[in-house]
Amino acid sequence: MSILQALGSHYERLLANGAAPPYGYSVERVSFVIVLSGKGVVVDVLDKREVRGRVLRPLRINVPRAASRSANVEPNFLWDKTCYALGVTKDRNTQAAAACNRGERDAFVELHEELLRGTEDEGLRSLLTFLREWDTEQYAGLRYATEMLDTNVVFRLDGVAELLHERVAARELWGRYLAEKADGQRMCLVTGAHAATSRLHPKIKGVKGAQSSGASLVSFNFDACSSYGMAQGDNAPVSESATFGYTTALNALLAHDSGRRVQLGDTTTVFWAEAGGGEVTASACEHLFAALLEPRHTDAAEGARLADALNAIADGRLLSTVQPELDERTRFFVLGLAPNAGRVSVRFWHTDSIGALARRVADHWQDLRIEPSPWKAVPAVRELLLWAAAQGKSENIPPTLGGALMRAILTGARYPHSLLAAVVARMRADRDINGGRVAVCKACLARDHRLGRDHSLGYEKEEIPMSLDRDNHNPAYLLGRLFAVYEGAQRAALPNINATIKDRYYGAASATPGAVFPLLERGSAAHLASLRKGDKGGLAQWFDREIDAILSGMSATFPRSLRLEDQGRFAIGYHHQRGAARRPAETPPQTDAVQHQEGSA
């Protein structure tokens, strides 16, 4: 199923649930209602804004679909901004009402003169009379004159609850107008039916980084993109109704409160389930997938349900045994979008059953597991990207990395090589070797091993340990452990030191150990000698045993350099050694320095 077909099917689901407007309508933000008498005189102005937090927000209602306009003058039917509907706008200098000067008011009147001519509906006749007799000088006398400037307004007949655009006569007029305005019929590439095609597709709003006014998912505006002399949407004919359906569904998914979108770097990801098994099942699957991607650590009940689902996956049980509403066979769709000038580009498109997707996300979490654990609960996917970004800021996440990471999670393929490279580079640059970054290194290497890619990629085929492995003789892993012991000895000998060897030498030690470790070895000998002279002889002996045990598994010389994957192993060994729980027989006297070494992991 194509992207547009899947979105069209989702639109039918939204329409059946009353969550989407019918064809020819759109959900827009409306702030005020102008109440007209039967003679077209303004009786009152009603404020329809809602209080959300401490801010007044416009009411979102179904209105005849918005005109597609950028620099052109194009009015809406039975609603619009005050510049079109009333001929006034806010003056940039004085913030007072000023007359519009581009013909917006005239265009609004002309459209309604054309559509409402000869109507017998009382409400529509009152609007027509109002438009003919309205003078912008009257605006200052209206209620909410200042707040209403440049907001969207609708109209209502006094004494009647429904708005003018909701009246039966208005809906019939609007339907006939759309049919007359439609272009010639061609076969729709989405539905396969012969129908009027859409030359300009409505804008997609909500993709982070795209234009605030919206961007196009389907568009042709260069000669090089056209064929056989066709213009715009004629190059890929999609019917008006199919166009309306897919754009409405996608805009609903992209809404910030939809609960079906996740931001991963520059990639805005939306997801939804097929409702073949019923609305309850589809919603349950969507909530499960959202929880898998972004666990809510503050919601204990949600965390318990998620843990039960993961245990069911690990045990090979059906998800329905945990939550009866879940059906593993439910078809699921995941779409990743990114900005591209005035357009929206597709970073990835994946369809599968919710059961298969849940198992792959569980595999992702398993690959991330490391001891000591750097988190109380599994992190959201977007946190992995922040660990790869300078200063941990979302705007510094490498481009395309979010889409590549999501593809790897959904398909079970290897993680993008750029993820490991970015995390290792950040650890070397800012010397912040936190557990989250080390877990990403472990996940990249563990997945390559599980998929059998480590040998084909040219490095040694061996399992990546989850916790401290004293039998692991990988040189990079041992060097990371040794570096952690040297740092511990330094902290014990110099408890008030501001910058340790990690702050000064981690980057060089993890990349070119042959040039750095002889220096660290000499420094460690001096630190241990200082410990023996004081009252910490037992601690010095423990450090000596750890160093001897590590060096016994290594060759006589330190390697000159470590490749990227081995720098990841270096970080894993460093993390394991710093945070490992020691056996009672191995535990040295508990000094502040040792406690700091264990707790800082």
Side-chain angles (χ1 to χ4, degrees):
M1 183 179 289
S2 70
I3 297 175
L4 301 191
Q5 287 174 324
L7 287 169
S9 177
H10 186 60
Y11 167 72
E12 297 298 331
R13 171 187 166 191
L14 296 176
L15 183 62
N17 295 332
Y23 170 60
Y25 290 76
S26 60
V27 179
E28 304 293 339
R29 294 178 174 88
V30 174
S31 298
F32 295 91
V33 176
I34 298 175
V35 183
L36 303 176
S37 69
K39 296 181 179 180
V41 178
V42 177
V43 176
D44 198 1
V45 175
L46 304 179
D47 188 349
K48 304 302 292 184
R49 294 173 296 177
E50 301 174 316
V51 178
R52 297 179 189 173
R54 298 181 179 180
V55 182
L56 286 172
R57 301 289 185 185
L59 183 68
R60 295 174 63 89
I61 63 174
N62 292 340
V63 294
R65 73 181 182 193
S68 179
R69 61 193 181 202
S70 52
N72 57 317
V73 175
E74 189 75 26
N76 294 315
F77 182 54
L78 298 179
W79 70 278
D80 217 316
K81 293 183 177 180
T82 56
C83 191
Y84 281 85
L86 302 174
V88 292
T89 187
K90 184 183 294 185
D91 185 273
R92 293 183 178 180
N93 298 321
T94 65
Q95 303 299 304
C100 297
N101 55 13
R102 294 198 309 141
E104 291 92 341
R105 164 74 177 165
D106 293 338
F108 189 79
V109 174
E110 183 179 345
L111 173 67
H112 289 79
E113 285 280 7
E114 177 188 351
L115 269 64
L116 303 183
R117 186 181 298 113
T119 181
E120 297 296 329
D121 184 83
E122 181 185 5
L124 298 180
R125 286 205 315 269
S126 69
L127 175 63
L128 198 55
T129 303
F130 163 77
L131 294 177
R132 291 168 177 169
E133 298 181 359
W134 170 257
D135 188 338
T136 56
E137 297 295 331
Q138 301 172 3
Y139 181 82
L142 296 182
R143 191 181 177 198
Y144 302 114
T146 302
E147 296 94 326
M148 190 164 48
L149 285 173
D150 292 335
T151 66
N152 287 329
V153 299
V154 292
F155 298 89
R156 199 194 83 186
L157 183 64
D158 189 25
V160 181
E162 63 183 354
L163 301 172
L164 289 190
H165 67 268
E166 297 172 340
R167 298 171 74 90
V168 174
R171 294 201 299 269
E172 292 176 349
L173 284 172
W174 182 238
R176 287 199 298 270
Y177 175 74
L178 293 176
E180 294 170 358
K181 191 178 179 181
D183 292 333
Q185 293 192 353
R186 296 180 61 191
M187 189 181 74
C188 174
L189 296 180
V190 176
T191 64
H194 280 76
T197 59
S198 177
R199 298 190 66 182
L200 291 176
H201 292 216
K203 301 292 186 181
I204 304 301
K205 300 179 181 180
V207 176
K208 184 179 179 181
Q211 295 178 358
S212 58
S213 59
S216 298
L217 181 62
V218 179
S219 67
F220 300 82
N221 66 340
F222 294 111
D223 292 340
C225 300
S226 302
S227 59
Y228 299 101
M230 296 181 182
Q232 298 175 327
D234 289 338
N235 290 276
V238 179
S239 67
E240 289 273 3
S241 58
T243 300
F244 177 81
Y246 92 76
T247 54
T248 300
L250 186 51
N251 282 325
L253 291 167
L254 287 168
H256 285 283
D257 57 353
S258 72
R260 290 160 178 80
R261 63 166 284 166
V262 175
Q263 190 65 45
L264 301 174
D266 69 341
T267 303
T268 303
T269 302
V270 295
F271 50 87
W272 67 98
E274 196 172 60
E279 178 61 29
V280 174
T281 296
S283 296
C285 292
E286 290 163 350
H287 290 148
L288 171 64
F289 190 75
L292 289 170
L293 293 184
E294 289 197 328
R296 298 178 182 178
H297 304 324
T298 58
D299 191 334
E302 183 73 21
R305 286 193 295 270
L306 183 58
D308 290 342
L310 290 175
N311 290 333
I313 295 171
D315 297 339
R317 293 182 286 123
L318 296 177
L319 292 174
S320 57
T321 61
V322 178
Q323 190 174 344
E325 296 83 5
L326 292 173
D327 185 351
E328 286 206 350
R329 299 166 297 179
T330 301
R331 196 171 187 184
F332 210 83
F333 308 94
V334 188
L335 174 63
L337 303 171
N340 181 14
R343 292 175 174 77
V344 173
S345 62
V346 176
R347 281 286 164 80
F348 60 84
W349 165 242
H350 190 73
T351 67
D352 210 329
S353 67
I354 184 62
L357 290 175
R359 284 189 291 273
R360 293 190 188 113
V361 176
D363 288 342
H364 160 69
W365 284 5
Q366 181 63 29
D367 288 337
L368 277 174
R369 286 188 60 190
I370 193 169
E371 296 295 340
S373 178
W375 44 68
K376 294 182 179 179
V378 180
V381 175
R382 55 182 169 80
E383 292 183 45
L384 276 63
L385 298 173
L386 294 177
W387 290 324
Q391 301 177 334
K393 295 182 178 180
S394 58
E395 57 266 28
N396 295 332
I397 295 174
T400 74
L401 183 58
L405 173 60
M406 195 64 184
R407 279 196 302 272
I409 295 172
L410 296 176
T411 62
R414 66 187 299 250
Y415 292 108
H417 191 262
S418 57
L419 176 63
L420 177 62
V423 169
V424 168
R426 293 318 317 157
M427 289 191 293
R428 292 185 57 188
D430 54 30
R431 280 86 65 187
D432 181 11
I433 304 88
N434 62 63
R437 285 176 168 173
V438 177
V440 172
C441 294
K442 185 260 181 183
C444 292
L445 298 175
R447 178 160 294 197
D448 281 348
H449 171 74
R450 181 160 55 82
L451 297 177
R453 294 296 302 275
D454 41 10
H455 181 68
S456 64
L457 292 172
Y459 52 91
E460 186 177 356
K461 180 179 176 66
E462 64 177 280
E463 189 172 354
I464 308 301
M466 184 181 301
S467 57
L468 180 63
D469 183 3
R470 296 184 180 277
D471 297 324
N472 189 314
H473 297 302
N474 180 277
Y477 183 78
L478 291 174
L479 286 171
R481 290 184 57 199
L482 184 61
F483 189 84
V485 175
Y486 284 164
E487 183 187 18
Q490 182 189 39
R491 285 188 179 278
L494 306 171
N496 297 321
I497 191 171
N498 292 324
T500 67
I501 60 172
K502 181 198 74 171
D503 302 308
R504 298 184 59 187
Y505 296 110
Y506 179 87
S510 62
T512 55
V516 177
F517 267 87
L519 175 64
L520 300 179
E521 196 172 29
R522 291 193 295 271
S524 176
H527 296 146
L528 293 176
S530 176
L531 290 175
R532 294 188 190 97
K533 293 178 183 178
D535 57 353
K536 299 178 181 179
L539 182 59
Q541 293 178 9
W542 183 87
F543 281 122
D544 278 329
R545 288 198 305 271
E546 286 291 284
I547 293 172
D548 291 342
I550 294 172
L551 289 176
S552 65
M554 299 178 59
S555 61
T557 59
F558 296 111
R560 294 180 59 184
S561 62
L562 295 179
R563 58 187 299 167
L564 178 64
E565 291 78 12
D566 285 332
Q567 291 179 46
R569 285 187 171 87
F570 184 100
I572 296 171
Y574 176 79
H575 178 77
H576 283 167
Q577 184 66 40
R578 291 183 73 196
R582 301 187 178 95
R583 298 172 185 173
E586 298 174 326
T587 303
Q590 290 294 303
T591 66
D592 291 341
V594 174
Q595 290 174 354
H596 177 86
Q597 180 193 1
E598 293 181 339
S600 61

